[in-house]
Amino acid sequence: MRFAFRGELVLALFFTLIGALWMFRALRMPLWDGFAPDSGFLPLVYGVLLAALAAAVLVQLALAKDSSNAETIRKPLIVMGALIAAVAALPIVGFVISVFALLVFLYAGVERLRLLPSAIAAAAITGSLYLVFKAWLGVPLP
Amino acid sequence: MSELGHLLAGFSAALTLKHLTMCFLGVLMGQMVGVLPGIGPAAAIALLLPLTFGADPTSAIILFAGIYYGSQYGGTLTSVLVSVPGESSTVMTTVDGYQMALQGRAGPALGIAAIGSFIAGTLGTLGLTLLAPPLAQAALAFGPPEYFALVVLGLTALAAVGSSVLKGLVAGVAGLLIGTIGIDPQNGIARFTFDQTWLLDGVEFIVLTVALFGVGEVVASCALGAARPVADVKNVLPTREDWRASRLPILRGTGVGFVIGVLPATGATIASFLAYILEKKVAKDPSRFGKGAIEGVAAPESANNAAAAGAMVPMLSLGVPGSGTTAIILGALIMFGIRPGPELFTKNADLVWAVIASMYIGNVLLLVMNLPLAGLFARLLKIPYRWLYPPILALCIAGVFSQSNSVQDCWLLAGFGLLGWLMKRYDWSMAPMILGLVLGPLFESALRQSLTLSHASPAIFVTRPISAVLLALALIAVTAPLWTPVFAPRAKAI
Amino acid sequence: MRCLTRLLWLLAALPLAALAQGWKPTKDVEFVIPFAVGGGADLMARVIHKIMVDEKLVPVPVALVNRPGGGGAAGIGYVAASRKGDPHTLILINGTTQITPIMNPNAKTLTEVKPVMNLMLDDFVFFVRADAPWKSLGDFIKDAKSKPAKSMAFSAGGTTDTMAVTVLSKATGVQYNIVSFNSGGEALTALLGGHVQASMGNPLEFMGQLQAGKVRALGVVRDSRFAALPDVPTFKEQGVAAPNFQMWRGVAIPKDAPDEAAAYWEGVMKKVAASPALANYFKENVAQAAPIPSKDFHAFLANQEKLYRELLGK
């Protein structure tokens, strides 16, 4: 059987690890104080529960037949990457440039729409968001 | 005391041009900030507050109240149309509302939300008119053990919201776990912040919802961009059938919402969750929920509006805030030299009754505004998705940033967006995660407060009548499927 | 990335620091509120801002910016990172920002700023329900001493309220059962509902109930009676040797801003403190005006820090 990437396993594994992390960190906190549970108690319970439940899902998935459909994940990954890049650019080039670039990239690069309408739409959207949040609501956009 | 006489006097005050204008401006602004994720009514009121210094306090409070309940209408719009909850109290609307939109029924979804909101807002205001002081007194009976039992009842729904019980539980517990990030409110010690200052306040609720529902949805559906059918806007208004299906959910949602709203420690968000869960529990075919059931829109939308009216009860009659937003309205009252407290109803009767009267008027204005808007905005979905999703992402970024003006929150948006995409892709329901985050902190503080009060004896939960009844209800909710295996439809096979 | 921005700001700030002689703002000023919109600290900052604008105390525009989070640490962290040494920056500071690093040593607050002036003090009052059997603090303490430890439950609306109960506990040698709530409003509700026997908190939240005769104030934790509550005796008057315990609220600028700028802002804040609008704000909020100029402010803060550490056992 060839290796098949199964994202759902990753998801279940992620939750298991997070549960384990919480368990591990909570054990180093005080669990009980006087009459009532202290900071570590419920996080420990949650961590144990999450790790156990997610591990159960993991087992269930591993036993199940591989039913992963062949739907493309290339485009979601590109969109996700573009979002991360835009967030990374926020504090450096500011809101207007990074959001404008994100929109142009998505329209023209990913959706292969023509450049001019893409740029116009991107400018209009960025402009109106800027107006609403910065000018009207006084949000200090970077 | 004649409530009617006071109310009539209130109407004659509220119907003056000045106050009517304020009411209109308030609901209009509420509608707008409701649409924007991140910015909520609390922030809008605080921003306007300095501008109203020196103005007539009645006008100002009418304006603020309008923003508050108006925002409960506005938040629905983005929830239904693009799966980005505009307010924390419209998250549950997203679940079924967005599915309805995909089926071309955005119009009826928005329509029933507006009608339900109107009915709930009006009935809630009626409750406020007739029962405020005695209700507020009754709400005081709710101490930590009662809140604990209420939260337990809410938590029984963790597994019930999604399609797979096990995955729903994983998501729910993950939400509870996210809720422990930040400063422990019981003792001020930081937990799970990994030495990051920006995590000290934990993960903001709206950041998680916008990331999971907004970004997750966009990233998952953009791949299907070409395949995703452009939603056909069929009938714009709810049909007779829709109305018949929603009638009782609206009334139940109103009841749940109002009661939860009156309780000082719970607000519109929890109310909308509980109303949704209640509908799913009483429905003949619960499997329809999450796939575009109109009850799933009608009930939470009614609940959040009734809760907004309910939250005014402790505010006006005790001087205790029933939610974050009413806390700011209280601050405003103090700024105007009006002392909130039990004497407000007698000492400042003019103001109180004018505000209450304006709430009736404001709800009518909102209905008139929203019904035509429902049709108009539903047409927005005719825009091809490839033109629609990039601006949704941009709105998510701007909205999340504006929540606390922090770039780090935008990183959380990207991170949880990735998680949301994976969950969406593999059909893990995300609502339990949100429910966990909402209820987790209240669960923990109520548990710790109760045990402190009882000197560590768990008997406190069953010896107090209200708490005992609520816990019994929770037990019934969990074990119901065991009792009635015939009626319980089997959960969808994984 | 953050290092890069910090470096850029450092470069930008250097010439400013060198040029500041007889300093005056030359560009837009940012007034950073390290708390969420709508809270007590936020409202006070908005009042100060309005006074600065209305009375034209500053020749340039002043923008309010909320950077909430982490008991003030997030906002001050923002100032330390992005507006390092920039004298065109004001920050609202209060007792909570001082407590944060005591509880969580990783969070840096007052060490990152230069305090300019204190403006107000907030009191702590001991409340019981109007139908409670205790008529004075003495009654209450006597009753508490006759019962097993922790029989008396107090609702506290946050760390500072808890500290106020600790003040009482230390002074009387009685252990109380402190139940922590998330806000003063919730603490008040718990008292009104009879879930706890007593509460300590800021007078603001309790004022409406006090005037309506639903709660009784048995004492205030300070050296002399509070003018706004003339009938409430102090702890000391009733034989409880508790230190004066109040929470402060003031204004600071970034740590590395030039002293000339600090002097300028102190001048502005003195004018703000003298404004009737601020006096009115204090009156409505049952707070005490307490302008402490910068030369005394530092000593005051050092004193408070000592007291806080003692109360928190850190």
Side-chain angles (χ1 to χ4, degrees):
Chain A
M1 198 180 141
R2 277 181 307 134
F3 172 77
F5 176 79
R6 289 176 63 192
E8 197 168 8
L9 280 176
V10 177
L11 193 58
L13 190 65
F14 170 76
F15 280 123
T16 316
L17 290 178
I18 289 287
L21 175 67
W22 246 248
M23 249 156 66
F24 174 68
R25 303 276 301 207
L27 277 173
R28 294 192 310 190
M29 291 182 205
L31 294 181
W32 205 270
D33 173 41
F35 299 135
D38 206 344
S39 300
F41 182 79
L42 279 180
L44 180 65
V45 173
Y46 297 157
V48 171
L49 269 177
L50 184 64
L53 289 167
V57 176
L58 205 58
V59 170
Q60 209 177 42
L61 288 175
L63 295 178
K65 283 252 168 62
D66 184 0
S67 61
S68 58
N69 38 9
E71 128 201 346
T72 172
I73 61 160
R74 210 178 128 244
K75 194 166 159 192
L77 280 180
I78 293 175
V79 173
M80 202 62 231
L83 176 70
I84 292 171
V87 171
L90 266 186
I92 301 168
V93 298
F95 177 82
V96 172
I97 295 177
S98 55
V99 166
F100 178 76
L102 170 72
L103 290 172
V104 169
F105 174 74
L106 289 179
Y107 278 143
V110 179
E111 296 298 336
R112 312 223 166 272
L113 298 166
R114 267 181 303 162
L115 196 58
L116 188 63
S118 300
I120 293 172
I125 294 157
T126 313
S128 41
L129 283 176
Y130 186 83
L131 277 182
V132 169
F133 280 94
K134 180 107 187 184
W136 187 50
L137 293 164
V139 172
L141 293 173
Chain B
M1 199 170 80
S2 92
E3 271 82 11
L4 195 67
H6 281 309
L7 188 62
L8 285 178
F11 266 110
S12 67
L15 282 169
T16 55
L17 185 64
K18 186 173 76 170
H19 291 162
L20 215 50
T21 315
M22 279 303 180
C23 184
F24 177 71
L25 278 178
V27 295
L28 189 68
M29 265 194 271
Q31 177 95 24
M32 285 194 279
V33 297
V35 169
L36 300 173
I39 293 269
I45 294 171
L47 294 175
L48 282 175
L49 192 51
L51 302 180
T52 60
F53 289 165
D56 168 21
T58 310
S59 297
I61 303 298
I62 287 177
L63 176 77
F64 295 157
I67 293 177
Y68 184 32
Y69 55 79
S71 69
Q72 306 294 336
Y73 281 77
T76 318
L77 213 54
T78 39
S79 301
V80 169
L81 294 181
V82 293
S83 178
V84 178
E87 285 313 312
S88 51
S89 53
T90 58
V91 172
M92 289 322 289
T93 318
T94 310
V95 177
D96 278 279
Y98 185 61
Q99 291 303 320
M100 285 183 72
L102 290 185
Q103 296 158 12
R105 285 168 36 82
L110 291 174
I112 206 75
I115 295 171
S117 297
F118 168 73
I119 295 175
T122 307
L123 288 179
T125 311
L126 193 68
L128 172 64
T129 310
L130 299 176
L131 296 170
L135 258 183
Q137 213 55 43
L140 289 179
F142 255 73
E146 286 76 20
Y147 281 114
F148 176 81
L150 184 69
V151 174
V152 169
L153 183 59
L155 286 176
T156 57
L158 278 185
V161 180
S163 50
S164 149
V165 173
L166 191 57
K167 291 175 187 173
L169 280 174
V170 170
V173 177
L176 288 169
L177 194 134
I178 293 169
T180 61
I181 296 176
I183 290 179
D184 176 355
Q186 290 283 302
N187 58 17
I189 305 283
R191 296 188 285 185
F192 306 104
T193 56
F194 308 98
D195 294 341
Q196 300 295 308
T197 309
W198 57 275
L199 271 177
L200 282 175
D201 264 9
V203 176
E204 280 295 340
F205 180 75
I206 201 76
V207 174
L208 185 69
T209 49
V210 169
L212 289 182
F213 285 95
V215 175
E217 173 64 39
V218 163
V219 178
S221 354
C222 69
L224 320 164
R228 183 181 177 277
V230 173
D232 216 12
V233 185
K234 282 178 238 150
N235 47 338
V236 162
L237 289 181
T239 60
R240 193 175 287 270
E241 228 167 288
D242 290 337
W243 171 238
R244 196 171 301 137
S246 320
R247 220 164 28 189
L248 286 174
I250 287 175
L251 288 179
R252 281 190 291 259
T254 304
V256 170
F258 187 68
V259 171
I260 300 290
V262 168
L263 296 176
T266 48
T269 308
I270 293 181
S272 65
F273 271 101
L274 291 181
Y276 183 90
I277 291 156
L278 177 69
E279 283 319 309
K280 196 170 174 183
K281 288 272 176 205
V282 301
K284 283 203 194 75
D285 178 12
S287 66
R288 284 172 46 251
F289 282 76
K291 303 198 191 81
I294 197 159
E295 303 96 302
V297 175
E301 277 306 307
S302 312
N304 63 30
N305 278 273
M312 307 290 273
V313 168
M315 183 192 106
L316 291 177
S317 50
L318 292 177
V320 171
S323 68
T325 311
T326 46
I328 294 174
I329 301 183
L330 273 183
L333 280 173
I334 291 167
M335 293 280 200
F336 288 118
I338 293 163
R339 179 70 51 210
E343 291 178 322
L344 195 67
F345 264 90
T346 44
K347 274 195 177 162
N348 299 89
D350 294 351
L351 179 142
V352 171
W353 289 102
V355 171
I356 292 178
S358 82
M359 289 172 69
Y360 287 102
I361 301 167
N363 272 298
V364 176
L365 289 178
L366 282 166
L367 182 69
V368 172
M369 225 188 287
N370 275 279
L371 275 184
L373 280 181
L376 198 68
F377 279 106
R379 284 203 182 87
L380 207 66
L381 290 181
K382 285 197 168 171
I383 301 172
Y385 198 62
R386 61 173 189 277
W387 282 106
L388 203 54
Y389 80 82
I392 299 176
L393 278 186
L395 178 69
C396 290
I397 295 179
V400 160
F401 179 84
S402 69
Q403 162 73 34
S404 51
N405 301 334
S406 118
V407 176
Q408 280 88 3
D409 277 352
C410 295
W411 281 108
L412 285 180
L413 174 78
F416 283 117
L418 181 64
L419 187 66
W421 166 47
L422 287 174
M423 289 177 75
K424 176 90 194 156
R425 185 176 151 88
Y426 298 109
D427 195 24
W428 292 43
S429 62
M430 295 178 276
M433 200 173 204
I434 310 283
L435 185 68
L437 182 62
V438 175
L439 293 179
L442 187 57
F443 178 72
E444 180 167 22
S445 51
L447 173 70
R448 289 163 73 174
Q449 286 159 359
S450 304
L451 289 177
T452 306
L453 276 175
S454 71
H455 290 203
S457 155
I460 189 171
F461 298 117
V462 289
T463 50
R464 297 173 49 134
I466 302 177
S467 140
V469 168
L470 287 170
L471 284 177
L473 283 176
L475 194 67
I476 294 172
V478 174
T479 54
L482 305 178
W483 298 353
T484 54
V486 189
F487 299 118
R490 290 214 47 86
K492 196 183 94 180
I494 303 152
Chain C
M1 179 195 65
R2 189 185 277 186
C3 285
L4 185 67
T5 41
R6 186 177 292 186
L7 193 69
L8 286 173
W9 273 113
L10 200 66
L11 290 174
L14 275 176
L16 275 174
L19 282 174
Q21 296 285 333
W23 192 84
K24 243 178 163 30
T26 48
K27 57 176 184 139
D28 290 11
V29 170
E30 211 173 282
F31 189 169
V32 179
I33 307 164
F35 296 95
V37 171
D42 176 66
L43 288 182
M44 180 164 117
R46 283 172 199 277
V47 172
I48 295 173
H49 175 252
K50 189 166 164 64
I51 294 169
M52 287 197 290
V53 173
D54 286 357
E55 302 186 7
K56 300 193 177 58
L57 301 178
V58 185
V60 294
V62 179
L64 284 169
V65 179
N66 292 84
R67 296 273 172 176
I76 290 174
Y78 156 76
V79 169
S82 311
R83 304 191 66 90
K84 192 171 164 52
D86 184 350
H88 295 88
T89 312
L90 287 171
I91 312 124
L92 191 94
I93 51 175
N94 65 9
T96 305
T97 49
Q98 195 168 18
I99 291 167
T100 301
I102 301 180
M103 302 298 289
N104 297 292
N106 282 316
K108 293 199 173 59
T109 57
L110 293 190
T111 50
E112 302 296 305
V113 298
K114 184 180 279 185
V116 166
M117 187 159 157
N118 187 57
L119 290 169
M120 71 165 257
L121 288 173
D122 230 344
D123 276 283
F124 290 87
V125 180
F126 181 114
F127 292 100
V128 294
R129 254 159 65 128
D131 56 5
W134 313 288
K135 303 286 180 220
S136 71
L137 190 58
D139 286 357
F140 184 86
I141 294 165
K142 215 169 90 192
D143 200 13
K145 279 187 173 161
S146 71
K147 288 182 176 154
K150 298 203 174 186
S151 293
M152 297 290 192
F154 273 76
S155 62
T159 310
T160 56
D161 293 358
T162 306
M163 288 161 74
V165 183
T166 312
V167 169
L168 178 70
S169 196
K170 283 191 179 238
T172 54
V174 181
Q175 278 196 313
Y176 301 106
N177 194 15
I178 303 173
V179 188
S180 301
F181 288 85
N182 295 332
S183 69
E186 284 179 35
L188 167 65
T189 322
L191 178 71
L192 290 174
H195 306 291
V196 293
Q197 279 77 41
S199 187
M200 296 226 21
N202 299 134
L204 174 61
E205 277 114 4
F206 290 81
M207 212 55 195
Q209 302 290 334
L210 189 65
Q211 284 172 354
K214 302 276 180 192
V215 297
R216 186 158 53 221
L218 295 187
V220 56
V221 203
R222 51 190 264 156
D223 292 338
S224 57
R225 287 203 184 194
F226 182 20
L229 301 164
D231 304 330
V232 181
T234 65
F235 274 27
K236 282 202 177 118
E237 277 176 55
Q238 307 183 69
V240 175
N244 188 74
F245 184 67
Q246 288 171 302
M247 277 294 142
W248 54 273
R249 245 181 239 171
V251 173
I253 58 174
K255 182 173 61 175
D256 300 323
D259 289 335
E260 290 86 347
Y264 172 83
W265 286 118
E266 192 177 344
V268 171
M269 284 306 141
K270 277 186 177 145
K271 287 180 201 152
V272 170
S275 155
L278 196 68
N280 193 45
Y281 167 82
F282 291 147
K283 188 173 142 267
E284 301 300 354
N285 285 279
V286 209
Q288 182 199 344
I292 304 176
S294 104
K295 64 177 167 42
D296 306 323
F297 195 20
H298 293 266
F300 170 83
L301 288 178
N303 245 331
Q304 294 291 307
E305 170 107 11
K306 213 172 120 240
L307 176 65
Y308 294 172
R309 282 191 184 276
E310 200 184 302
L311 290 172
L312 292 164
K314 302 262 170 178

